[in-house]
Amino acid sequence: MTIKDTPEEWRVTATATPFQGNKTSVRTDDVVMPDGSVVRRDYQVHPGSVAVLALDDEDRVVVLRQYRHPVRHKLWEIPAGLLDVPGENPLRAAQRELYEEAHIKAEDWRVLTDVYTTPGGCDEAVRVFLARDLSAADGERFEVSEEEADMELARVPLGELAAGVLAGDLHNTCLVVGVLSVLAARAGDGLDALRPAEAPWPARPFSA
């Protein structure tokens, strides 16, 4: 048996959008189950996101601390952002987020992992990149607002972040997945064996 996620789509007999927000919406589908019954499923429709685990030459990760209102916490996170434009190239979006949130550029980019954040209630897909060979970005810093105006920036050793994840002190999905994926890649074939930055992403197809 091959352990691999596979696309599949069960028949939908009715659909509605009871809420339409600025970036996301809520959809209600009536879905036919294998036994023929029809059940209603509500879920958030999301444009998708990218995140960047930026690793410097001292094995430190670029992280930021930001207030997240739904969970009433300030969370340590890695730079991330929405795919605002349908079909947007995720690598370009990740490079933009690293510049805007950390004023950093990177010369070496790889795909670290692809995840569905909460597939039971949201269709959000996130591509997490590994960025290395870091340097300061050119030009002026990006002007931030709202929650980002209160954002803190730091570089934390990878091992310290991993310990924080396992201790239950760090909770952001992209940080947790990114940190543990780097350690898993190192324990396997190494970081240079990761997929190229432009690898296909069926969950969010994109143009070159």
Side-chain angles (χ1 to χ4, degrees):
M1 181 176 64
T2 302
I3 305 300
K4 182 178 180 179
D5 296 338
T6 55
E8 184 169 337
E9 188 169 354
W10 292 1
R11 187 163 66 92
V12 173
T13 59
T15 188
T17 304
F19 171 78
Q20 179 69 56
N22 184 33
K23 299 292 184 182
T24 68
S25 60
V26 172
R27 183 174 296 162
T28 297
D29 288 344
D30 291 344
V31 186
V32 180
M33 297 289 106
D35 64 1
S37 62
V38 178
V39 301
R40 182 156 292 175
R41 293 289 179 259
D42 302 318
Y43 59 99
Q44 183 185 21
V45 178
H46 194 285
S49 307
V50 291
V52 185
L53 191 137
L55 189 65
D56 70 13
D57 293 338
E58 298 178 40
D59 215 36
R60 300 176 303 174
V61 178
V62 176
V63 292
L64 49 94
R65 188 168 180 249
Q66 186 172 346
Y67 177 65
R68 294 300 188 184
H69 186 71
V71 295
R72 308 307 199 268
H73 269 71
K74 273 193 171 182
L75 299 179
W76 284 104
E77 307 179 352
I78 56 177
L82 297 176
L83 291 168
D84 294 313
V85 181
E88 183 177 17
N89 186 295
L91 174 59
R92 306 293 175 265
Q95 292 169 332
R96 180 188 67 234
E97 293 301 330
L98 186 60
Y99 161 72
E100 291 182 357
E101 296 192 346
H103 200 64
I104 289 172
K105 61 182 179 180
E107 298 301 322
D108 187 285
W109 289 83
R110 314 271 172 153
V111 174
L112 189 53
T113 189
D114 298 323
V115 295
Y116 291 116
T117 54
T118 50
C122 179
D123 71 352
E124 181 184 15
V126 181
R127 169 156 280 188
V128 183
F129 289 90
L130 173 67
R132 294 181 292 174
D133 194 3
L134 310 181
S135 60
D138 301 324
E140 298 294 323
R141 293 191 67 93
F142 183 77
E143 186 174 344
V144 297
S145 61
E146 300 174 352
E147 288 94 341
E148 292 183 352
D150 187 53
M151 197 164 57
E152 303 169 47
L153 195 66
R155 295 194 184 200
V156 179
L158 178 66
E160 184 177 332
L161 292 175
V165 168
L166 298 179
D169 295 331
L170 299 172
H171 307 89
N172 174 262
T173 301
C174 294
L175 183 145
V176 170
V177 169
V179 165
L180 298 185
S181 293
V182 165
L183 295 178
R186 280 182 172 171
D189 295 330
L191 300 182
D192 290 336
L194 290 167
R195 286 174 291 161
E198 296 278 10
W201 189 17
R204 291 295 185 273
F206 60 92
S207 55

